[in-house]
Amino acid sequence: MADSVNPSHALFDSFVQAQTCKETQQNFIELCRHLKVEPRDYKHFYSKLKDRLNYWKAKDLWQKIDKRAAHPDYEQGQACHQNKCLVLGAGPCGLRTAIELALLGTQVAVLDKRVSFSRNNVLHLWPYTIRDLLNLGAKKFYGRFCSGSIHHISIRQLQLILLKVALILGVEVHTGVTFEGLLEPSGSTGWRAQVSPGSHRAAAFEFDVFISAGGGRYVPDGFKIKELRGKLAIGITANFVNRRTKQEAQVQEISGVARIYNQKFFQALHSEIGVDLENIVYYKDDTHYFVMTAKKGSLLKKGVIKQDFPDVNQLLAPANVNQKALEEYAYDAADFSTDHMLPDLEFARDHAGRPDVAMFDFTCMHRAENASLVKERKGKRLLIALVGDSLVEPFWPLGTGIARGFLAAFDTAWMVRNWGKGGLPLELLAERESMYQLLSQTTPENISKNYASYSINPSTRYPNISMSSIKPTQVIHTVLDAHLHTQSLRRLEDLLSWCQKNTAGYKHVKVKDLSESWRSGMALCALIHNFRPELINLSSLDEYNITRNNKLAFDLMEREFGITPVMRASEMITCEKIDQLSMVVYLTQIRNALTEKDT
Ligand code: FAD
């Protein structure tokens, strides 16, 4: 029987070849429906899919995935089988992390606010990332993968490959869903995300690991960012249609010419067409992609930037940029640097259908001070980790985004593995920081060349790594807040239950909290009576005489125990809300005094 006749084979082919995010998701759903496999059954999903799709074209993909999954680090998907992870961002680094976590046995959900993968821009790949992607079946999903002289891939193609692998491994990927913030546990529920649309089922997903891979400048609460400010650097990216003609095929790529290495070229570019650059890169991929760093003077002269401002945000604000002049500038640079050999240069279109040319500020790069932290609320711990551009913003012309992004994805997966195995927070955070310190120094030359042995274990990738260069005491601040908070919450709960116990059964007294329950003064009087009945005649009290009740209690506490009142008795009527903090301080002193007397 011809393969095309078998509907599941045809659906698998469509899934593998899908060229958009939407098409990929739709074909995947169809394939699952047809094979009667339920993606939500994430633990058995991959094996069921493999068993039910008996198709020779899928076999080499299964082999690759099986080989990866058999690595001892994953403990046959048992290492993190009790963990649940939310990944914010279906960019390359979020998806790459999701794949590793799924292999560890974690239940993974990925959220992305975008509904399409539309970035034509091209990423430079280090040799290890090529091996890594080939091992995940990149060639199967994208036949042209790394077939040129320089190794690179467009962001959208990379996302498509990783999305397909993630889906096959049972990762839930929700597009068109915006992450708005973390929701703390509320008794019966665990950590969740506030999302929009709020009715999306991702809102109900509870997790104990949160990976923030939301891209540059997206940093969740609790992390501090360092700003690395360099000299003014203005980047321009431009994409032109690649018609894949013979003539286009012959044009040489430019792997990155910096001014210092080719003075003549840059001088000619400047004197002949007025384009003054620091460097330029040209990759022939799905598009003809150019990225360059331009000098401000020439941008002003060419009318690309309308007015000079010392502040870079003002300088590059859309209102200060002449889009047509920018297109001309990028066009001229592309045409000149390829020796006018690219025929009929025509801009590719961006997600909004406009010519795909953009100008960016590289003057100031962000980097998170810590790579991860642990929060604890209501006894529920949450491990939060940053990966990708959200951890360290790359300098695009150097193309470090994916190479270092994937290293951080693996390091993070290693930390999650330790988390799943019950590692102590301080120790695993310290180990993660030890690796993070290395990240910005990594180059294709100084990481291990034994790519075949790469795994999530950092020692397979970083030669001579010390996994304990940062000591647990140095990362206390990444858990300290949570501990303090937990401790103080616990203290509050203890205080409340002590008050409840010692006022139980008193008339007109119901202590529910450490604020409003104390307004009438009856609870304070009851508390005193419980320990020193001789001091107070409860039958003389009127629950509505708030000032008198409070005055009596305040005076007694001051006279007998030297405890100064937190407010005036009359304010207990007039104030809009009883201040919990003041009340806690006051009641704590009372408890100390009464229990001291008591024992
Ligand atoms: P990204 O790829 O930025 O992905 C982050 C994802 O998170 C996005 O899909 C975004 O929609 C999603 N997201 C963000 N906030 C939310 C939220 N609140 N809720 C839900 N989803 C959210 N690098 C180069 O080397 N060369 C280039 O030319 C180049 N061009 C780029 C152009 C653009 C417009 C951008 C944004 C980045 C570019 N980069 C480039 C950087 C490169 O794309 C990244 O290094 C690489 O994609 C890895 O990034 P990432 O996965 O960490 O984040």
Side-chain angles (χ1 to χ4, degrees):
M1 200 198 298
D3 288 323
S4 55
V5 175
N6 185 324
S8 59
H9 295 184
L11 282 168
F12 178 76
D13 288 339
S14 307
F15 166 71
V16 165
Q17 286 152 20
Q19 279 303 298
T20 64
C21 174
K22 194 169 165 197
E23 218 186 300
T24 303
Q25 288 174 306
Q26 280 173 348
N27 284 315
F28 179 73
I29 292 169
E30 277 298 302
L31 179 65
C32 293
R33 204 173 287 151
H34 195 266
L35 293 173
K36 298 195 171 55
V37 277
E38 175 49 68
R40 286 190 215 179
D41 177 19
Y42 69 96
K43 281 194 178 148
H44 310 106
F45 176 74
Y46 169 62
S47 57
K48 283 188 183 166
L49 178 73
K50 204 169 65 164
D51 288 350
R52 294 187 193 175
L53 186 76
N54 190 10
Y55 183 24
W56 65 271
K57 278 198 188 170
K59 292 233 158 79
D60 54 339
L61 184 61
W62 303 154
Q63 265 172 13
K64 285 184 190 307
I65 295 177
D66 286 345
K67 191 171 171 210
R68 179 96 196 172
H71 195 284
D73 286 351
Y74 307 119
E75 299 179 4
Q76 296 177 325
Q78 291 299 304
C80 294
H81 71 285
Q82 288 183 321
N83 301 92
K84 293 182 177 198
C85 173
L86 182 77
V87 178
L88 156 61
C93 297
L95 288 170
R96 190 66 194 86
T97 313
I99 289 170
E100 288 308 312
L101 299 188
L103 288 166
L104 284 163
T106 318
Q107 182 180 359
V108 189
V110 179
L111 300 185
D112 204 296
K113 61 184 176 191
R114 300 185 205 187
V115 288
S116 63
F117 295 161
S118 55
R119 285 177 285 171
N120 291 318
N121 285 2
V122 176
L123 303 163
H124 172 68
L125 299 173
W126 290 6
Y128 98 82
T129 44
I130 298 168
R131 168 75 25 225
D132 178 62
L133 289 164
L134 286 171
N135 288 347
L136 290 178
K139 270 269 186 226
K140 177 100 201 155
F141 300 115
Y142 179 50
R144 288 202 192 93
F145 179 69
C146 284
S147 47
S149 58
I150 303 172
H151 295 134
H152 43 69
I153 189 168
S154 67
I155 302 174
R156 53 175 290 273
Q157 281 296 352
L158 180 57
Q159 284 178 283
L160 281 175
I161 293 171
L162 296 171
L163 172 66
K164 290 171 190 174
V165 179
L167 290 173
I168 286 174
L169 288 173
V171 173
E172 281 184 46
V173 181
H174 305 292
T175 49
V177 182
T178 303
F179 173 87
E180 306 284 1
L182 283 170
L183 288 176
E184 295 190 357
S186 63
S188 57
T189 60
W191 287 91
R192 286 175 302 140
Q194 188 182 347
V195 300
S196 59
S199 57
H200 195 279
R201 72 185 169 90
F205 184 63
E206 293 178 22
F207 46 90
D208 66 327
V209 178
F210 174 59
I211 305 291
S212 175
R217 301 181 189 196
Y218 185 87
V219 178
D221 287 350
F223 287 88
K224 282 199 191 132
I225 294 300
K226 268 190 205 154
E227 226 183 57
L228 311 171
R229 195 165 274 278
K231 73 176 179 79
L232 180 69
I234 302 171
I236 296 176
T237 55
N239 286 281
F240 299 93
V241 176
N242 184 356
R243 298 183 183 84
R244 302 190 190 281
T245 61
K246 250 189 176 163
Q247 195 180 344
E248 285 167 283
Q250 280 162 5
V251 181
Q252 293 282 307
E253 295 183 288
I254 307 171
S255 66
V257 192
R259 197 177 184 95
I260 43 165
Y261 299 116
N262 199 336
Q263 295 280 358
K264 241 168 117 184
F265 164 78
F266 286 100
Q267 272 159 12
L269 183 67
H270 192 192
S271 60
E272 287 178 38
I273 58 170
V275 168
D276 199 4
L277 302 181
E278 298 282 359
N279 55 41
I280 186 159
V281 171
Y282 158 52
Y283 292 146
K284 201 183 310 161
D285 209 281
D286 276 355
T287 56
H288 294 289
Y289 164 77
F290 294 83
V291 58
M292 59 201 93
T293 313
K295 291 200 183 177
K296 182 171 84 169
S298 75
L299 291 168
L300 280 163
K301 224 181 205 161
K302 289 277 212 176
V304 178
I305 296 177
K306 295 179 190 164
Q307 207 186 327
D308 195 5
F309 289 105
D311 174 57
V312 72
N313 292 324
Q314 251 179 312
L315 188 73
L316 300 186
N320 199 36
V321 174
N322 179 331
Q323 197 61 26
K324 272 277 159 255
L326 173 62
E327 285 168 28
E328 274 166 34
Y329 191 96
Y331 181 101
D332 289 347
D335 190 37
F336 187 92
S337 58
T338 50
D339 228 356
H340 316 286
M341 295 299 286
L342 283 174
D344 309 322
L345 270 181
E346 182 197 336
F347 278 108
R349 300 281 144 177
D350 68 8
H351 63 281
R354 293 170 304 222
D356 193 349
V357 55
M359 190 154 63
F360 298 91
D361 162 36
F362 285 121
T363 311
C364 169
M365 313 284 285
H366 287 177
R367 174 192 160 84
E369 276 187 13
N370 291 97
S372 51
L373 55 82
V374 170
K375 284 190 176 182
E376 186 176 320
R377 299 285 187 274
K378 301 244 159 82
K380 292 190 174 126
R381 284 187 180 163
L382 177 70
L383 175 64
I384 309 182
L386 306 180
V387 297
D389 290 10
S390 156
L391 180 66
V392 182
E393 265 190 295
F395 185 59
W396 296 352
L398 289 182
T400 47
I402 286 309
R404 292 191 183 141
F406 279 17
L407 286 174
F410 300 151
D411 295 342
T412 302
W414 180 251
M415 173 176 63
V416 175
R417 178 182 184 271
N418 292 336
W419 176 259
K421 290 166 73 65
L424 294 175
L426 270 181
E427 302 198 339
L428 56 91
L429 290 172
E431 189 180 272
R432 175 72 193 94
E433 294 308 320
S434 302
M435 297 174 243
Y436 179 41
Q437 279 207 320
L438 291 179
L439 192 66
S440 297
Q441 297 148 35
T442 52
T443 65
E445 287 71 41
N446 69 13
I447 53 172
S448 165
K449 301 287 182 302
N450 186 0
Y451 306 134
S453 72
Y454 269 36
S455 77
I456 55 172
N457 185 337
S459 63
T460 61
R461 291 172 280 116
Y462 311 116
N464 313 319
I465 184 187
S466 161
M467 309 260 270
S468 54
S469 60
I470 300 279
K471 303 279 169 259
T473 47
Q474 291 172 272
V475 293
I476 280 178
H477 59 286
T478 58
V479 277
L480 191 67
D481 289 357
H483 275 321
L484 269 185
H485 201 95
T486 316
Q487 275 173 12
S488 54
L489 268 183
R490 221 167 267 153
R491 265 189 239 131
L492 286 186
E493 280 164 13
D494 285 348
L495 180 63
L496 180 60
S497 64
W498 178 83
C499 293
Q500 285 168 331
K501 191 174 126 210
N502 290 296
T503 55
Y506 281 94
K507 228 170 137 188
H508 307 304
V509 175
K510 186 139 189 67
V511 174
K512 289 186 289 193
D513 52 37
L514 295 165
S515 50
E516 287 306 312
S517 301
W518 303 86
R519 190 180 281 275
S520 73
M522 293 297 286
L524 268 181
C525 292
L527 203 51
I528 297 168
H529 185 267
N530 187 54
F531 289 91
R532 298 281 301 275
E534 77 281 11
L535 291 180
I536 213 159
N537 176 8
L538 285 184
S539 62
S540 71
L541 299 183
D542 171 6
E543 65 170 313
Y544 299 107
N545 200 338
I546 294 178
T547 310
R548 181 169 171 265
N549 300 340
N550 278 297
K551 187 164 184 335
L552 178 66
F554 288 170
D555 288 350
L556 274 172
M557 291 314 299
E558 192 155 31
R559 194 184 72 215
E560 295 290 322
F561 302 106
I563 302 171
T564 352
V566 278
M567 49 172 80
R568 277 200 298 274
S570 57
E571 281 171 352
M572 296 298 273
I573 303 188
T574 52
C575 70
E576 211 179 291
K577 259 179 105 185
I578 307 283
D579 177 31
Q580 174 170 295
L581 185 61
S582 312
M583 216 53 217
V584 168
V585 173
Y586 189 54
L587 288 168
T588 305
Q589 291 179 79
I590 295 178
R591 182 177 61 176
N592 292 345
L594 292 178
T595 47
E596 212 176 285
K597 268 280 194 259
D598 196 30
T599 48

